[in-house]
Amino acid sequence: MPILHRRRRLPQSKIKKIHTIKQKNKVFRQENPVMAVLQWGVNHMMNELSFVDEQPLMLERDYKSFSKVQVSNQNYNDQDLPTKFKVKEYCPIVFRSLREKFGEDSDYFLYSICDGPFEGGKSAGRSGGSIYISHDERIVVKSLTKLDLIAFFNMFEEYYEHIVDTEDQWLLLPRYYAMYRVTVGEKETYMLLMNNVMPPSTDTPIHLLFDLKGSTVARNASDKEKAKEVPCLKDNDFLAMDLSVFLSYDTDAVLAALERDVDFLIKHRIMDYSLILGIHNVSDETPERIDRAISVCHAGGHKCELLDSQPQQLYFLGIIDALQVYNTKKKAAHAAKTAKHGQNAAISTVKPEQYGRRFIEFLRSSVFNLDGSFIPTQPRKIMSPVHSSLREGADESFAGRDGDDTESDSEQYYKRVLIVNHAVTMEYEEDAEDAEAEAEEEEEEE
């Protein structure tokens, strides 16, 4: 009897046939190869992360996890991307949880990073790193050194716990959104993505900007910096202007948040940070809604998204540069500056405990108005507390002189101080005279 051989079925292929649709619009790519790879990497990693389930609690392994992709000899987008590069994302699940707690929408985050050019480059600061700002001015990308990277991960787990504990309260620490390592060729670049403390310049321009450390030694803006349209002024410039920030009942909440955040930095031996303070003089063009992941106060005081009153000024503030550890290099700098300026000099390079307490004391005594009141000035669009305080100082300086020269001398002094500090434009003089004339007419009518 013939033996019948059963016909063996060939296994079906596991390769799936898919139909692709050709992309209509070309994805934006930065001219800088590192930033172009970062944009590609953020888009790729975020798409991968969307398939990972969320988890309510962070485990120890989540702080050590990473996602990595390597591309070699690719020619498809060689006009936009290097032919060989690597991207590594650190702690993707933890950072996703942080973005959610900060109210940062994933689609909006991708739009800010991937749909437009970054502005910026090498920073003029002492760290020598690079700082880039997204096209919509919402996200800041800062390059880190390996020492900064170590400092960050030494405190990252407790930083997350700090955010969870203060989720419904004020937070002035930087809001960290993601961390990447970009490798182009043989060069590695560590990139930290965080919120921009300042609002978009297109709809809420900053009229005065300060970087405050609580130190008075060598804390003046340079002539080159003052030549800018909106210079970043420092502690001594702030004191010379005789300014104060009035937040009404928000002041206690802001100071409590500052003390809480500074205590966190002291615990991790962080120093040399600053309070960045931007002041916007409110006008008819100021948007009614400030919907941003930043701390916003206005004179009269509340943390606001919707401006349901008529504030005179908006204050944008937050702590920046919060990764500098008090290491051997800083100890040597402390010894050198102490020998040069003296034991009691208010130098910036001091121990974290001393730095933090002095920082808080300076803000309490010299920056925030704790018991005064905000006095509105007219007209609001040009007369801010800067202008009024400078005018009062000028009037007092020239008070007691005889004749008509008193007013002209005062005006000359006022003009000279304002030009040095770039507080207003050169058109202020005519506007100020018109404002004074209107005020005199109103008094006569009354």
Short mmCIF file of all heavy atoms in Angstrom, two decimals, residues 26-85:
data_model
loop_
_atom_site.label_atom_id
_atom_site.label_comp_id
_atom_site.label_asym_id
_atom_site.label_seq_id
_atom_site.Cartn_x
_atom_site.Cartn_y
_atom_site.Cartn_z
N LYS A 26 6.81 69.25 4.80
CA LYS A 26 8.12 68.85 5.29
C LYS A 26 8.27 69.24 6.76
O LYS A 26 7.95 70.36 7.15
CB LYS A 26 9.20 69.54 4.46
CG LYS A 26 10.62 69.10 4.79
CD LYS A 26 11.60 69.80 3.88
CE LYS A 26 13.03 69.40 4.22
NZ LYS A 26 14.01 70.07 3.35
N VAL A 27 8.72 68.30 7.59
CA VAL A 27 8.92 68.58 9.00
C VAL A 27 10.08 69.55 9.15
O VAL A 27 11.11 69.41 8.49
CB VAL A 27 9.21 67.27 9.77
CG1 VAL A 27 9.49 67.57 11.24
CG2 VAL A 27 8.04 66.32 9.64
N PHE A 28 9.90 70.53 10.07
CA PHE A 28 10.93 71.55 10.24
C PHE A 28 12.19 70.92 10.83
O PHE A 28 12.13 70.08 11.73
CB PHE A 28 10.44 72.67 11.15
CG PHE A 28 11.46 73.77 11.33
CD1 PHE A 28 11.58 74.78 10.40
CD2 PHE A 28 12.34 73.74 12.40
CE1 PHE A 28 12.54 75.77 10.54
CE2 PHE A 28 13.29 74.73 12.57
CZ PHE A 28 13.38 75.74 11.62
N ARG A 29 13.35 71.33 10.32
CA ARG A 29 14.62 70.89 10.86
C ARG A 29 15.52 72.10 11.07
O ARG A 29 15.65 72.96 10.20
CB ARG A 29 15.30 69.90 9.90
CG ARG A 29 14.61 68.56 9.82
CD ARG A 29 14.87 67.74 11.09
NE ARG A 29 14.19 66.45 11.02
CZ ARG A 29 13.05 66.16 11.61
NH1 ARG A 29 12.44 67.07 12.32
NH2 ARG A 29 12.53 64.97 11.51
N GLN A 30 16.14 72.15 12.26
CA GLN A 30 17.05 73.22 12.61
C GLN A 30 18.33 73.11 11.81
O GLN A 30 18.79 72.02 11.46
CB GLN A 30 17.38 73.11 14.11
CG GLN A 30 18.06 74.30 14.69
CD GLN A 30 17.11 75.38 15.14
OE1 GLN A 30 15.92 75.15 15.24
NE2 GLN A 30 17.63 76.57 15.39
N GLU A 31 18.93 74.26 11.47
CA GLU A 31 20.21 74.25 10.76
C GLU A 31 21.32 73.70 11.64
O GLU A 31 22.22 73.01 11.17
CB GLU A 31 20.55 75.66 10.29
CG GLU A 31 19.64 76.19 9.20
CD GLU A 31 20.06 77.56 8.72
OE1 GLU A 31 21.09 78.07 9.22
OE2 GLU A 31 19.38 78.13 7.85
N ASN A 32 21.27 74.01 12.94
CA ASN A 32 22.23 73.44 13.88
C ASN A 32 22.00 71.93 13.96
O ASN A 32 20.91 71.49 14.33
CB ASN A 32 22.03 74.09 15.25
CG ASN A 32 23.04 73.61 16.28
OD1 ASN A 32 23.55 72.50 16.22
ND2 ASN A 32 23.33 74.48 17.25
N PRO A 33 22.99 71.09 13.63
CA PRO A 33 22.76 69.64 13.60
C PRO A 33 22.35 69.07 14.95
O PRO A 33 21.54 68.14 15.01
CB PRO A 33 24.10 69.08 13.12
CG PRO A 33 25.11 70.15 13.37
CD PRO A 33 24.37 71.43 13.23
N VAL A 34 22.91 69.59 16.04
CA VAL A 34 22.55 69.08 17.37
C VAL A 34 21.07 69.36 17.66
O VAL A 34 20.33 68.49 18.14
CB VAL A 34 23.45 69.71 18.45
CG1 VAL A 34 22.98 69.32 19.85
CG2 VAL A 34 24.89 69.29 18.25
N MET A 35 20.62 70.59 17.38
CA MET A 35 19.21 70.93 17.63
C MET A 35 18.28 70.19 16.67
O MET A 35 17.16 69.82 17.03
CB MET A 35 19.02 72.44 17.51
CG MET A 35 19.81 73.25 18.52
SD MET A 35 19.49 72.75 20.24
CE MET A 35 17.76 73.16 20.40
N ALA A 36 18.74 69.95 15.42
CA ALA A 36 17.93 69.19 14.46
C ALA A 36 17.73 67.76 14.95
O ALA A 36 16.62 67.21 14.88
CB ALA A 36 18.60 69.20 13.09
N VAL A 37 18.79 67.15 15.47
CA VAL A 37 18.68 65.79 16.01
C VAL A 37 17.80 65.79 17.27
O VAL A 37 17.02 64.86 17.49
CB VAL A 37 20.08 65.23 16.31
CG1 VAL A 37 19.98 63.91 17.07
CG2 VAL A 37 20.86 65.02 15.02
N LEU A 38 17.91 66.83 18.10
CA LEU A 38 17.06 66.92 19.28
C LEU A 38 15.60 66.96 18.88
O LEU A 38 14.76 66.26 19.47
CB LEU A 38 17.42 68.16 20.09
CG LEU A 38 16.53 68.42 21.31
CD1 LEU A 38 16.73 67.35 22.38
CD2 LEU A 38 16.79 69.81 21.91
N GLN A 39 15.24 67.77 17.88
CA GLN A 39 13.86 67.84 17.42
C GLN A 39 13.39 66.47 16.92
O GLN A 39 12.28 66.03 17.23
CB GLN A 39 13.74 68.89 16.31
CG GLN A 39 13.86 70.32 16.82
CD GLN A 39 13.81 71.33 15.69
OE1 GLN A 39 14.42 71.15 14.64
NE2 GLN A 39 13.11 72.42 15.92
N TRP A 40 14.22 65.80 16.12
CA TRP A 40 13.87 64.47 15.64
C TRP A 40 13.70 63.50 16.81
O TRP A 40 12.75 62.72 16.85
CB TRP A 40 14.96 63.96 14.69
CG TRP A 40 14.67 62.60 14.11
CD1 TRP A 40 14.04 62.33 12.94
CD2 TRP A 40 15.00 61.33 14.70
NE1 TRP A 40 13.96 60.97 12.75
CE2 TRP A 40 14.53 60.33 13.82
CE3 TRP A 40 15.64 60.95 15.88
CZ2 TRP A 40 14.69 58.98 14.08
CZ3 TRP A 40 15.79 59.60 16.15
CH2 TRP A 40 15.32 58.62 15.26
N GLY A 41 14.63 63.57 17.79
CA GLY A 41 14.59 62.66 18.92
C GLY A 41 13.37 62.87 19.80
O GLY A 41 12.75 61.91 20.25
N VAL A 42 13.02 64.13 20.08
CA VAL A 42 11.85 64.41 20.91
C VAL A 42 10.60 63.86 20.25
O VAL A 42 9.76 63.21 20.90
CB VAL A 42 11.72 65.92 21.17
CG1 VAL A 42 10.38 66.24 21.83
CG2 VAL A 42 12.87 66.42 22.04
N ASN A 43 10.46 64.10 18.95
CA ASN A 43 9.29 63.61 18.23
C ASN A 43 9.23 62.08 18.27
O ASN A 43 8.18 61.47 18.53
CB ASN A 43 9.34 64.09 16.78
CG ASN A 43 8.10 63.71 16.00
OD1 ASN A 43 7.01 64.21 16.25
ND2 ASN A 43 8.27 62.80 15.06
N HIS A 44 10.37 61.41 18.03
CA HIS A 44 10.43 59.95 18.03
C HIS A 44 10.14 59.38 19.41
O HIS A 44 9.32 58.45 19.56
CB HIS A 44 11.82 59.50 17.55
CG HIS A 44 12.02 58.02 17.57
ND1 HIS A 44 11.57 57.19 16.56
CD2 HIS A 44 12.61 57.21 18.49
CE1 HIS A 44 11.88 55.94 16.86
NE2 HIS A 44 12.52 55.93 18.02
N MET A 45 10.78 59.92 20.45
CA MET A 45 10.61 59.40 21.80
C MET A 45 9.19 59.63 22.33
O MET A 45 8.63 58.77 23.02
CB MET A 45 11.62 60.04 22.75
CG MET A 45 13.08 59.84 22.38
SD MET A 45 13.58 58.13 22.43
CE MET A 45 15.36 58.27 22.26
N MET A 46 8.62 60.78 22.03
CA MET A 46 7.26 61.06 22.49
C MET A 46 6.25 60.11 21.84
O MET A 46 5.29 59.67 22.49
CB MET A 46 6.90 62.52 22.20
CG MET A 46 7.66 63.53 23.03
SD MET A 46 7.12 63.61 24.76
CE MET A 46 5.55 64.44 24.58
N ASN A 47 6.47 59.78 20.57
CA ASN A 47 5.58 58.82 19.91
C ASN A 47 5.71 57.44 20.54
O ASN A 47 4.71 56.74 20.73
CB ASN A 47 5.91 58.76 18.42
CG ASN A 47 5.48 59.99 17.67
OD1 ASN A 47 4.57 60.71 18.11
ND2 ASN A 47 6.13 60.29 16.56
N GLU A 48 6.92 57.03 20.86
CA GLU A 48 7.11 55.74 21.53
C GLU A 48 6.46 55.74 22.91
O GLU A 48 5.83 54.76 23.32
CB GLU A 48 8.60 55.44 21.67
CG GLU A 48 9.26 54.91 20.41
CD GLU A 48 10.66 54.37 20.69
OE1 GLU A 48 11.23 54.74 21.75
OE2 GLU A 48 11.15 53.57 19.89
N LEU A 49 6.61 56.84 23.64
CA LEU A 49 6.10 56.92 25.00
C LEU A 49 4.57 56.87 25.04
O LEU A 49 3.98 56.44 26.04
CB LEU A 49 6.60 58.20 25.68
CG LEU A 49 6.34 58.35 27.17
CD1 LEU A 49 7.02 57.23 27.96
CD2 LEU A 49 6.82 59.71 27.66
N SER A 50 3.93 57.28 23.97
CA SER A 50 2.46 57.28 23.94
C SER A 50 1.89 55.87 24.03
O SER A 50 0.70 55.71 24.36
CB SER A 50 1.97 57.98 22.66
OG SER A 50 2.38 57.26 21.51
N PHE A 51 2.69 54.84 23.75
CA PHE A 51 2.23 53.45 23.83
C PHE A 51 2.51 52.84 25.20
O PHE A 51 2.18 51.68 25.43
CB PHE A 51 2.90 52.61 22.75
CG PHE A 51 2.52 53.01 21.35
CD1 PHE A 51 3.36 53.81 20.59
CD2 PHE A 51 1.32 52.61 20.81
CE1 PHE A 51 3.01 54.19 19.31
CE2 PHE A 51 0.96 52.98 19.52
CZ PHE A 51 1.80 53.78 18.77
N VAL A 52 3.13 53.59 26.10
CA VAL A 52 3.44 53.09 27.44
C VAL A 52 2.37 53.58 28.40
O VAL A 52 2.05 54.77 28.44
CB VAL A 52 4.83 53.57 27.90
CG1 VAL A 52 5.14 53.07 29.30
CG2 VAL A 52 5.90 53.12 26.91
N ASP A 53 1.80 52.66 29.18
CA ASP A 53 0.75 53.01 30.12
C ASP A 53 1.28 53.91 31.22
O ASP A 53 2.43 53.78 31.67
CB ASP A 53 0.15 51.75 30.75
CG ASP A 53 -0.58 50.88 29.72
OD1 ASP A 53 -1.03 51.44 28.70
OD2 ASP A 53 -0.68 49.65 29.93
N GLU A 54 0.43 54.80 31.68
CA GLU A 54 0.79 55.66 32.80
C GLU A 54 0.72 54.87 34.10
O GLU A 54 -0.01 53.89 34.21
CB GLU A 54 -0.15 56.87 32.86
CG GLU A 54 -0.06 57.77 31.63
CD GLU A 54 -0.95 58.99 31.76
OE1 GLU A 54 -1.49 59.20 32.87
OE2 GLU A 54 -1.10 59.73 30.78
N GLN A 55 1.47 55.32 35.09
CA GLN A 55 1.47 54.66 36.38
C GLN A 55 1.35 55.70 37.48
O GLN A 55 1.93 56.79 37.39
CB GLN A 55 2.74 53.82 36.56
CG GLN A 55 4.04 54.58 36.44
CD GLN A 55 5.24 53.66 36.41
OE1 GLN A 55 5.32 52.75 35.60
NE2 GLN A 55 6.18 53.90 37.32
N PRO A 56 0.57 55.39 38.53
CA PRO A 56 0.32 56.40 39.57
C PRO A 56 1.52 56.70 40.44
O PRO A 56 1.67 57.81 40.95
CB PRO A 56 -0.82 55.77 40.38
CG PRO A 56 -0.68 54.30 40.17
CD PRO A 56 -0.15 54.14 38.77
N LEU A 57 2.41 55.70 40.65
CA LEU A 57 3.55 55.88 41.53
C LEU A 57 4.84 55.65 40.76
O LEU A 57 4.92 54.79 39.89
CB LEU A 57 3.48 54.90 42.71
CG LEU A 57 2.30 55.07 43.67
CD1 LEU A 57 2.31 53.96 44.70
CD2 LEU A 57 2.33 56.44 44.35
N MET A 58 5.86 56.44 41.13
CA MET A 58 7.17 56.27 40.52
C MET A 58 7.99 55.28 41.35
O MET A 58 8.04 55.40 42.58
CB MET A 58 7.91 57.60 40.45
CG MET A 58 7.26 58.65 39.55
SD MET A 58 7.19 58.17 37.82
CE MET A 58 5.40 57.94 37.65
N LEU A 59 8.59 54.31 40.68
CA LEU A 59 9.44 53.33 41.33
C LEU A 59 10.90 53.72 41.18
O LEU A 59 11.25 54.55 40.34
CB LEU A 59 9.19 51.94 40.74
CG LEU A 59 7.73 51.47 40.77
CD1 LEU A 59 7.61 50.12 40.08
CD2 LEU A 59 7.20 51.40 42.19
N GLU A 60 11.75 53.10 41.98
CA GLU A 60 13.18 53.42 41.93
C GLU A 60 13.76 53.17 40.55
O GLU A 60 14.61 53.93 40.07
CB GLU A 60 13.93 52.61 42.98
CG GLU A 60 15.40 52.98 43.09
CD GLU A 60 16.10 52.23 44.19
OE1 GLU A 60 15.40 51.54 44.98
OE2 GLU A 60 17.34 52.33 44.28
N ARG A 61 13.27 52.13 39.89
CA ARG A 61 13.78 51.80 38.55
C ARG A 61 13.44 52.88 37.53
O ARG A 61 14.13 53.05 36.53
CB ARG A 61 13.22 50.47 38.09
CG ARG A 61 11.71 50.49 37.83
CD ARG A 61 11.14 49.14 37.54
NE ARG A 61 9.72 49.21 37.25
CZ ARG A 61 8.91 48.15 37.17
NH1 ARG A 61 9.41 46.94 37.38
NH2 ARG A 61 7.63 48.30 36.90
N ASP A 62 12.35 53.63 37.77
CA ASP A 62 11.95 54.67 36.82
C ASP A 62 12.95 55.81 36.77
O ASP A 62 13.07 56.50 35.75
CB ASP A 62 10.56 55.22 37.18
CG ASP A 62 9.48 54.16 37.07
OD1 ASP A 62 9.56 53.33 36.14
OD2 ASP A 62 8.57 54.15 37.93
N TYR A 63 13.68 56.01 37.88
CA TYR A 63 14.68 57.08 37.91
C TYR A 63 15.99 56.65 37.26
O TYR A 63 16.90 57.47 37.11
CB TYR A 63 14.93 57.51 39.36
CG TYR A 63 13.73 58.15 40.01
CD1 TYR A 63 12.88 57.40 40.82
CD2 TYR A 63 13.42 59.48 39.79
CE1 TYR A 63 11.76 57.96 41.42
CE2 TYR A 63 12.31 60.07 40.39
CZ TYR A 63 11.49 59.30 41.20
OH TYR A 63 10.38 59.88 41.79
N LYS A 64 16.09 55.37 36.92
CA LYS A 64 17.29 54.85 36.25
C LYS A 64 17.00 54.42 34.81
O LYS A 64 17.91 53.97 34.11
CB LYS A 64 17.84 53.65 37.03
CG LYS A 64 18.24 53.99 38.45
CD LYS A 64 18.74 52.77 39.20
CE LYS A 64 19.11 53.10 40.64
NZ LYS A 64 19.56 51.89 41.38
N SER A 65 15.77 54.52 34.40
CA SER A 65 15.38 54.06 33.06
C SER A 65 15.78 55.08 31.99
O SER A 65 16.01 56.25 32.28
CB SER A 65 13.87 53.82 33.01
OG SER A 65 13.17 55.03 33.21
N PHE A 66 15.82 54.62 30.77
CA PHE A 66 16.13 55.50 29.65
C PHE A 66 15.62 54.84 28.37
O PHE A 66 15.32 53.65 28.32
CB PHE A 66 17.63 55.78 29.55
CG PHE A 66 18.48 54.56 29.34
CD1 PHE A 66 18.72 54.06 28.06
CD2 PHE A 66 19.03 53.89 30.42
CE1 PHE A 66 19.49 52.93 27.88
CE2 PHE A 66 19.80 52.76 30.24
CZ PHE A 66 20.03 52.27 28.97
N SER A 67 15.52 55.64 27.34
CA SER A 67 15.16 55.17 26.01
C SER A 67 16.22 55.69 25.04
O SER A 67 16.58 56.87 25.10
CB SER A 67 13.77 55.69 25.61
OG SER A 67 13.43 55.29 24.31
N LYS A 68 16.70 54.81 24.17
CA LYS A 68 17.83 55.18 23.32
C LYS A 68 17.60 54.69 21.89
O LYS A 68 17.08 53.60 21.68
CB LYS A 68 19.13 54.60 23.89
CG LYS A 68 20.38 55.02 23.15
CD LYS A 68 21.64 54.78 23.98
CE LYS A 68 21.85 53.32 24.30
NZ LYS A 68 23.14 53.10 24.99
N VAL A 69 18.01 55.49 20.94
CA VAL A 69 17.92 55.12 19.52
C VAL A 69 19.20 55.56 18.83
O VAL A 69 19.75 56.63 19.15
CB VAL A 69 16.67 55.75 18.85
CG1 VAL A 69 16.72 57.27 18.90
CG2 VAL A 69 16.54 55.28 17.41
N GLN A 70 19.68 54.73 17.92
CA GLN A 70 20.89 55.03 17.17
C GLN A 70 20.59 54.92 15.68
O GLN A 70 19.97 53.95 15.23
CB GLN A 70 22.01 54.05 17.54
CG GLN A 70 23.30 54.28 16.78
CD GLN A 70 24.43 53.38 17.26
OE1 GLN A 70 24.32 52.76 18.31
NE2 GLN A 70 25.50 53.29 16.49
N VAL A 71 21.02 55.91 14.93
CA VAL A 71 20.81 55.93 13.48
C VAL A 71 22.18 56.03 12.82
O VAL A 71 22.97 56.92 13.14
CB VAL A 71 19.92 57.11 13.06
CG1 VAL A 71 19.77 57.16 11.54
CG2 VAL A 71 18.55 57.02 13.73
N SER A 72 22.47 55.10 11.90
CA SER A 72 23.76 55.08 11.22
C SER A 72 23.56 54.99 9.72
O SER A 72 22.68 54.26 9.23
CB SER A 72 24.60 53.87 11.68
OG SER A 72 24.84 53.94 13.07
N ASN A 73 24.35 55.78 9.01
CA ASN A 73 24.39 55.72 7.54
C ASN A 73 23.02 55.94 6.91
O ASN A 73 22.66 55.30 5.92
CB ASN A 73 24.96 54.38 7.07
CG ASN A 73 26.36 54.14 7.60
OD1 ASN A 73 27.15 55.07 7.69
ND2 ASN A 73 26.64 52.90 7.98
N GLN A 74 22.23 56.80 7.49
CA GLN A 74 20.93 57.10 6.89
C GLN A 74 21.11 58.17 5.82
O GLN A 74 21.88 59.12 5.98
CB GLN A 74 19.94 57.55 7.96
CG GLN A 74 20.25 58.88 8.64
CD GLN A 74 19.67 60.08 7.93
OE1 GLN A 74 18.76 59.93 7.11
NE2 GLN A 74 20.20 61.25 8.20
N ASN A 75 20.44 58.01 4.72
CA ASN A 75 20.55 58.97 3.61
C ASN A 75 19.21 59.58 3.23
O ASN A 75 19.13 60.37 2.31
CB ASN A 75 21.15 58.26 2.39
CG ASN A 75 22.58 57.82 2.64
OD1 ASN A 75 23.37 58.59 3.16
ND2 ASN A 75 22.90 56.58 2.29
N TYR A 76 18.14 59.14 3.93
CA TYR A 76 16.81 59.61 3.54
C TYR A 76 16.65 61.11 3.78
O TYR A 76 16.11 61.83 2.96
CB TYR A 76 15.75 58.84 4.34
CG TYR A 76 14.34 59.26 4.03
CD1 TYR A 76 13.78 59.01 2.78
CD2 TYR A 76 13.57 59.92 4.98
CE1 TYR A 76 12.48 59.39 2.49
CE2 TYR A 76 12.27 60.31 4.71
CZ TYR A 76 11.73 60.03 3.45
OH TYR A 76 10.46 60.42 3.17
N ASN A 77 17.14 61.57 4.95
CA ASN A 77 17.04 63.00 5.29
C ASN A 77 18.42 63.59 5.49
O ASN A 77 18.64 64.42 6.37
CB ASN A 77 16.22 63.19 6.58
CG ASN A 77 14.74 63.12 6.33
OD1 ASN A 77 14.27 63.54 5.27
ND2 ASN A 77 14.00 62.56 7.27
N ASP A 78 19.39 63.15 4.67
CA ASP A 78 20.76 63.60 4.91
C ASP A 78 20.94 65.09 4.68
O ASP A 78 21.91 65.68 5.13
CB ASP A 78 21.74 62.80 4.04
CG ASP A 78 21.45 62.95 2.56
OD1 ASP A 78 20.36 63.43 2.22
OD2 ASP A 78 22.32 62.58 1.75
N GLN A 79 20.01 65.74 3.99
CA GLN A 79 20.11 67.19 3.82
C GLN A 79 19.65 67.92 5.07
O GLN A 79 19.95 69.10 5.26
CB GLN A 79 19.28 67.66 2.61
CG GLN A 79 17.77 67.61 2.81
CD GLN A 79 17.20 66.23 2.53
OE1 GLN A 79 17.92 65.25 2.50
NE2 GLN A 79 15.89 66.16 2.32
N ASP A 80 18.91 67.22 5.97
CA ASP A 80 18.41 67.84 7.19
C ASP A 80 19.08 67.30 8.45
O ASP A 80 19.20 68.02 9.44
CB ASP A 80 16.90 67.60 7.32
CG ASP A 80 16.13 68.21 6.16
OD1 ASP A 80 16.50 69.32 5.75
OD2 ASP A 80 15.19 67.57 5.66
N LEU A 81 19.48 66.03 8.44
CA LEU A 81 20.04 65.39 9.61
C LEU A 81 21.41 64.80 9.30
O LEU A 81 21.67 64.41 8.16
CB LEU A 81 19.11 64.28 10.11
CG LEU A 81 17.74 64.70 10.63
CD1 LEU A 81 16.86 63.49 10.84
CD2 LEU A 81 17.88 65.47 11.93
N PRO A 82 22.29 64.70 10.29
CA PRO A 82 23.56 64.02 10.07
C PRO A 82 23.32 62.55 9.68
O PRO A 82 22.28 61.97 10.00
CB PRO A 82 24.26 64.12 11.43
CG PRO A 82 23.57 65.23 12.14
CD PRO A 82 22.16 65.24 11.66
N THR A 83 24.28 61.95 9.00
CA THR A 83 24.13 60.56 8.58
C THR A 83 24.28 59.59 9.75
O THR A 83 23.88 58.44 9.65
CB THR A 83 25.17 60.22 7.50
OG1 THR A 83 26.48 60.49 8.01
CG2 THR A 83 24.93 61.05 6.25
N LYS A 84 24.85 60.05 10.86
CA LYS A 84 25.05 59.18 12.01
C LYS A 84 24.82 59.98 13.28
O LYS A 84 25.46 61.00 13.50
CB LYS A 84 26.48 58.60 12.00
CG LYS A 84 26.78 57.65 13.15
CD LYS A 84 28.20 57.13 13.05
CE LYS A 84 28.53 56.21 14.22
NZ LYS A 84 29.94 55.71 14.14
N PHE A 85 23.90 59.49 14.12
CA PHE A 85 23.63 60.19 15.37
C PHE A 85 22.94 59.24 16.34
O PHE A 85 22.42 58.17 15.97
CB PHE A 85 22.76 61.43 15.14
CG PHE A 85 21.42 61.16 14.51
CD1 PHE A 85 20.33 60.81 15.29
CD2 PHE A 85 21.25 61.26 13.14
CE1 PHE A 85 19.09 60.57 14.72
CE2 PHE A 85 20.02 61.03 12.56
CZ PHE A 85 18.94 60.68 13.34
#
